[in-house]
Amino acid sequence: MPVRANSTGCFIIVSQDEVACDAVSMDLIISEWPEYQSLNYCDEYLVEAASLPNAPSGTTYKQDGKPLEKPIGLMEYCDKERKYKKLDLIYKKL
């Protein structure tokens, strides 16, 4: 994908929560290229992971043969100002 002149720059996203890390990454990608409407549903796997054991798809996810009993991580969408209610997001210019 081409880089835009008004691009917000490069990012390094770090988290101990893999789901939250991917959620923030997807928010940044989707906001950078809004014309690609197909990106709007590319984060469904994050919704599934954050909703366990009651995944929206009805799928029972297992690890070592045992059903997962709690969410794998936190899924949240940012607001228009790229702020989150549950995630602590820190922007640091490098």
Side-chain angles (χ1 to χ4, degrees):
M1 291 185 189
V3 177
R4 296 173 174 229
N6 63 350
S7 178
T8 54
C10 297
F11 295 92
I12 298 174
I13 300 172
V14 180
S15 177
Q16 292 177 332
D17 181 335
E18 301 92 350
V19 175
C21 192
D22 277 7
V24 171
S25 299
M26 291 313 307
D27 276 343
L28 292 170
I29 290 169
I30 290 167
S31 68
E32 188 71 19
W33 291 285
E35 66 272 17
Y36 295 105
Q37 295 297 315
S38 60
L39 291 174
N40 290 333
Y41 300 101
C42 65
D43 56 0
E44 293 299 312
Y45 73 101
L46 299 170
V47 174
E48 288 278 304
S51 300
L52 296 175
N54 302 311
S57 68
T59 303
T60 300
Y61 293 92
K62 298 180 180 181
Q63 183 174 13
D64 299 325
K66 298 177 186 174
L68 295 173
E69 297 178 356
K70 61 182 184 175
I72 296 173
L74 179 64
M75 171 59 181
E76 183 179 9
Y77 295 103
C78 64
D79 61 18
K80 292 178 183 177
E81 288 83 39
R82 288 194 180 162
K83 301 211 185 266
Y84 296 89
K85 292 179 182 177
K86 297 177 185 175
L87 295 175
D88 294 325
L89 183 63
I90 300 168
Y91 291 100
K92 184 170 184 172
K93 189 163 184 145
L94 301 176

